[in-house]
Amino acid sequence: MRAEWINPFVTSTQDVFTTMLSFELIRGPLSVKKDPQPELEISGVIGLTGRAAGVVVVSLSRGVALHAAETMLGSRHEEVDADVIDAVGELANMIAGGAKRQLEELDMSVSLPSVICGTNHRVQFPSHTTPIAIPFEAESGPICISVGLSEVTK
Amino acid sequence: MRAEWINPFVTSTQDVFTTMLSFELIRGPLSVKKDPQPELEISGVIGLTGRAAGVVVVSLSRGVALHAAETMLGSRHEEVDADVIDAVGELANMIAGGAKRQLEELDMSVSLPSVICGTNHRVQFPSHTTPIAIPFEAESGPICISVGLSEVTK
């Protein structure tokens, strides 16, 4: 994954959480995602296609997922129900969409999101992609964005 | 999800496992995937974009994943290591690619796959998609394909 492709995902995540949801985010250090580490409890996964193909994973603690859903939906949810799942999918969609717009030259489209739930699930990328993990801390808990993008050779 | 979009995923799964891997598959009854059910232990997830956007999940028991990887890689793996993850991602890629070719009118592209591991993980789709689950039984264990596809309105 090219270094210049990372920043659009960082700024897009900050835009979505800070500008749209009014969360305060503190960003941690980027790292190459190597050995399989468990994700946070709820992960929105979305595919990208175009001149580069990839995957974005937006992994949230349960606290962050419920807080984000409450802010987006305007109603409190105690459980990770279908509305919360839709909200997490929409977050992944907005983050991927924002990065896509900044990476105009790659002419990418986003797939539908899927949302993975379960303590200790791991999301792994094809071994040729060198995925990057970008951790954030919000007031309601941790967030981690992982991105793997690979040039498409025709 | 339109009914005529389902069969290409059924035949593509059968092609990949039966023709390419020489597995004998028995297909179970299709169902609409509603309440979140745990997936099998290893799920390949791949996004589709085009005139329809979607997600395909290829969920395998550990036994099927190891058996498929052994057949594809020509070497035995006792653990779900990076090679097995790549093999499961490639299976998802081939199944989505085969269905895509049969659904030519939707002009779809496939994203990179990601592979989810973990007992009791669940993969959920956006609530507007009516995803379909297609179960199969192979000699080495169960396989379940889930597909959610939604028309893209420009």
Side-chain angles (χ1 to χ4, degrees), chain A residues 74-86:
Chain A
S75 59
R76 202 169 157 71
H77 291 251
E78 303 291 341
E79 292 300 322
V80 179
D81 56 20
D83 287 342
V84 175
I85 294 294
D86 277 351

Side-chain angles (χ1 to χ4, degrees), chain A residues 49 86 115 117 122 124 127, chain B residues 49 86 115-117 122 124 127:
Chain A
T49 64
D86 277 351
V115 177
C117 295
R122 301 189 306 279
Q124 291 176 255
S127 57
Chain B
T49 63
D86 277 351
V115 177
I116 322 293
C117 295
R122 302 189 306 280
Q124 291 176 254
S127 56

